[in-house]
């Protein structure tokens, strides 16, 4: 287990963040918040996928006006994302939202911040102080901006981290002076190494819970790597109390990937099947990549963390899938299905998907009834006799890779 850094705990609509709470999973809607039906539908989809907190943008008054109805229908706590207009924060608090996100880069007026803090204190609502690389450089005062940019030129990375940490510290002074500690902090950048260094610096200065994220990470294809590099590094150091992976895509991918990242690091327990699949190689004799994609889609409906393996050959596959509760080992036109190390059936290529799914559903049902336990990696799978190739030759075992 990764030892986690001790932080204070805040409660977001009953969901604990920080302290000994598991690392939380968040996402953000991509709908116009004033479109109540679309926003509620997306929140429900995200929540069904495992999202525990959902943030919504409230740029206009019609967005905060929509909040009471959204809150009434949302199955998870809702956070209002406030930029530029502190009035939106006050309206969102009044509407009953469960947390406010403020950006020190665009709401810095002391009186305005004090009013938001007072409103949140009255309702027992936490505030996230969310700094972004893009908003810490001065935008209004041209002189200050020029001075900052001169400094940025020589050591952009180091200076930018310093600006982000300074922005958090300046803002937090206002919270300290208000004796308000119901705070979560974030400091996001598009650069994974800057994210790591900024959060490390902040975690040394504050014992408040940290919301991890990479801002504007891009589409999942590239943003996934960027996010895992940054968030995975921090989480493996024990830093981070809630995460939001952000993609230029349907936010459902953010939730799927956040869950997978946390489960991969054993920071959360799986509640759905874990899929193991071989990468395929020159020994493959079926379209395993298509089969794996189909299996993944079908397994989605099972809510038991069965370990399922889809392997491309009967020669090396059993060794590589060791520990899987349910596995299929494919050969030319045929596959052998195993359940906890026991050979169950041999099926043709066209029936592989259904056979694997049926055995997985049956096994999951037995687990749920308490008749059998999940393997937790303790299954030995003896290789079957290799399935002959189309020309009648039998493939020889090879060294495991
Ligand atoms: S040896 Fe078999 S199980 Fe391993 S990658 Fe190749 S086909 Fe897949």
């Amino acid at each position: 287990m990764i030892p986690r850094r001790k932080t204070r705990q805040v409660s977001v609509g009953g969901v604990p963040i920080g302290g000994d709470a598991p690392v939380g999973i968040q996402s953000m809607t991509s709908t116009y918040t004033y479109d109540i039906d679309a926003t509620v539908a997306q929140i429900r989809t995200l929540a069904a996928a495992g999202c525990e907190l959902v943030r919504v943008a409230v740029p206009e008054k019609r967005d905060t006006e929509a909040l009471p109805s959204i809150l009434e229908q949302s199955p998870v706590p809702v956070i209002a994302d406030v930029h530029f207009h502190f009035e939106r924060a006050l309206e969102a608090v009044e509407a009953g939202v469960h947390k406010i996100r403020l950006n020190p880069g665009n709401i810095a007026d002391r009186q305005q911040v004090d009013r938001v803090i007072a409103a949140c204190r009255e309702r027992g609502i936490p505030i996230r102080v969310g700094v972004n690389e893009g908003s810490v450089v001065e935008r209004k005062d041209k002189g200050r901006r020029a001075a900052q940019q001169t400094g940025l030129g020589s050591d952009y990375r180091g200076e930018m981290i310093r600006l982000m940490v300074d922005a958090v510290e300046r803002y937090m002074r206002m919270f300290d002076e208000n004796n308000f500690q119901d705070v979560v902090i974030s400091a996001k950048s598009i650069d994974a190494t800057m994210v790591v260094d900024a959060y490390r610096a902040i975690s040394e200065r504050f014992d408040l819970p940290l919301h991890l994220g990479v801002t504007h990470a891009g589409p999942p294809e590239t943003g996934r790597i960027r996010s895992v590099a940054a968030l995975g590094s921090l989480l493996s150091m024990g830093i981070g109390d809630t995460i939001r992976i952000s993609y230029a895509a349907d936010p459902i991918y953010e939730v799927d990937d956040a869950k997978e990242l946390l489960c991969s690091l054993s920071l959360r327990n799986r509640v759905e099947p874990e899929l193991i699949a071989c990468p395929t190689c020159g020994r493959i004799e079926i379209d395993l990549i298509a089969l794996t994609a189909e299996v993944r889609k079908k397994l989605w409906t099972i809510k038991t963390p069965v370990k399922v393996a889809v392997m491309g050959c009967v020669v090396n596959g059993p060794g590589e899938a060791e520990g899987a509760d349910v596995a299929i080992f494919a050969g030319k036109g045929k596959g052998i299905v195993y359940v906890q190390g026991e050979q169950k059936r041999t099926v043709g290529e066209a029936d592989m998907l259904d056979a694997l799914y049926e055995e997985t559903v049956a096994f999951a049902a037995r687990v749920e009834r308490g008749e059998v336990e999940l393997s937790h990696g303790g299954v030995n799978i003896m290789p079957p006799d290799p399935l002959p190739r189309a020309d009648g030759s039998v493939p020889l075992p090879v060294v495991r890779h």
Side-chain angles (χ1 to χ4, degrees):
M1 285 297 285
I2 298 169
R4 288 182 54 210
R5 168 185 158 268
K6 272 270 168 263
T7 53
R8 295 175 194 230
Q9 191 170 87
V10 304
S11 171
V12 182
V15 174
I17 299 295
D20 56 3
V23 179
I25 297 169
Q26 318 198 11
S27 185
M28 186 166 178
T29 52
S30 54
T31 55
Y32 293 114
T33 304
Y34 61 77
D35 184 342
I36 295 170
D37 290 347
T39 302
V40 169
Q42 196 170 58
I43 291 174
R44 285 185 172 151
T45 303
L46 294 172
C51 184
E52 294 156 330
L53 300 169
V54 177
R55 185 158 43 116
V56 300
V58 289
E60 299 176 25
K61 197 154 193 289
R62 58 180 169 167
D63 297 308
T64 50
E65 284 169 354
L67 285 175
S69 176
I70 291 169
L71 288 162
E72 208 178 279
Q73 300 177 72
S74 173
V76 291
V78 173
I79 302 158
D81 192 52
V82 181
H83 293 262
F84 298 103
H85 306 289
F86 83 104
E87 301 91 335
R88 295 293 94 76
L90 300 178
E91 291 156 13
V93 171
E94 187 59 34
V97 84
H98 301 104
K99 183 172 146 199
I100 295 287
R101 180 269 170 115
L102 293 181
N103 183 344
N106 55 45
I107 299 181
D109 180 271
R110 176 64 195 251
Q111 286 185 350
Q112 294 180 357
V113 176
D114 284 353
R115 284 181 63 188
V116 177
I117 290 173
C120 287
R121 186 202 306 282
E122 200 182 312
R123 296 284 188 118
I125 297 171
I127 297 175
R128 170 158 68 95
V129 172
V131 170
N132 271 358
E133 175 192 349
S135 61
V136 291
V137 176
E138 176 63 40
R139 302 219 170 264
K140 289 181 187 157
D141 185 320
K142 286 186 183 160
R144 278 185 59 199
R145 182 178 173 80
Q148 278 181 336
Q149 284 180 326
T150 307
L152 288 176
S154 53
D155 173 19
Y156 179 87
R157 207 179 152 279
E159 282 298 313
M160 189 53 80
I161 291 168
R162 188 183 59 72
L163 284 177
M164 287 164 67
V165 176
D166 283 356
V168 171
E169 287 190 329
R170 263 199 320 277
Y171 220 57
M172 283 310 302
R173 273 199 285 279
M174 293 193 245
F175 285 73
D176 286 343
E177 284 161 19
N178 275 285
N179 196 25
F180 187 88
Q181 294 292 332
D182 213 3
V183 177
V184 177
I185 299 176
S186 67
K188 301 185 185 181
S189 161
I190 191 171
D191 181 314
T193 64
M194 280 173 54
V195 170
V196 172
D197 287 350
Y199 276 99
R200 286 181 67 184
I202 288 166
S203 75
E204 283 166 12
R205 288 166 174 75
F206 300 96
D207 65 352
L208 296 164
L210 299 183
H211 161 126
L212 304 186
V214 173
T215 193
H216 306 122
E221 293 78 8
T222 51
R224 186 170 283 141
I225 306 299
R226 206 182 275 276
S227 302
V228 169
L231 275 51
S233 300
L234 286 163
L235 290 166
S236 38
M237 293 176 212
I239 297 172
D241 301 283
T242 175
I243 65 172
R244 189 240 169 155
I245 292 180
S246 54
Y247 294 142
D250 186 326
I252 196 78
Y253 295 110
E254 303 180 357
V255 179
D256 286 349
D257 289 357
K259 276 164 50 188
E260 188 58 38
L261 175 58
L262 295 177
C263 291
S264 299
L265 291 170
S266 298
L267 287 164
R268 295 293 295 253
N269 293 326
R270 286 184 189 279
V271 291
E272 289 147 359
E274 178 178 9
L275 179 58
I276 302 161
C278 86
T280 78
C281 71
R283 295 173 197 94
I284 197 80
E285 293 181 296
I286 65 153
D287 185 356
L288 187 111
I289 292 172
L291 175 64
T292 303
E294 290 302 316
V295 169
R296 185 167 187 261
K297 268 193 250 166
K298 286 202 95 164
L299 290 183
W300 179 250
T301 54
I302 299 171
K303 297 297 174 197
T304 307
V306 182
K307 195 176 269 194
V308 178
V310 181
M311 308 305 283
C313 67
V314 293
V315 182
N316 281 0
E320 291 165 357
E322 212 125 80
D325 294 298
V326 185
I328 189 160
F329 304 103
K332 179 74 180 169
K334 282 185 193 159
I336 306 172
V337 182
Y338 276 62
V339 176
Q340 288 211 319
E342 187 189 332
Q343 197 170 327
K344 284 282 186 182
R345 47 174 152 159
T346 300
V347 292
E349 187 168 352
D351 298 321
M352 286 182 190
L353 175 63
D354 288 344
L356 185 71
Y357 180 67
E358 284 162 19
E359 293 293 346
T360 306
V361 168
F363 179 76
R366 287 175 60 207
V367 171
E368 295 307 319
R369 290 196 298 268
E371 294 168 10
V372 62
E373 286 185 12
L374 294 164
S375 72
H376 301 298
V379 173
N380 290 318
I381 302 173
M382 288 302 293
D385 294 334
L387 295 167
R389 296 181 198 275
D391 63 7
S393 66
V394 173
L396 294 172
V398 292
V399 177
R400 283 180 65 179
H401 42 74

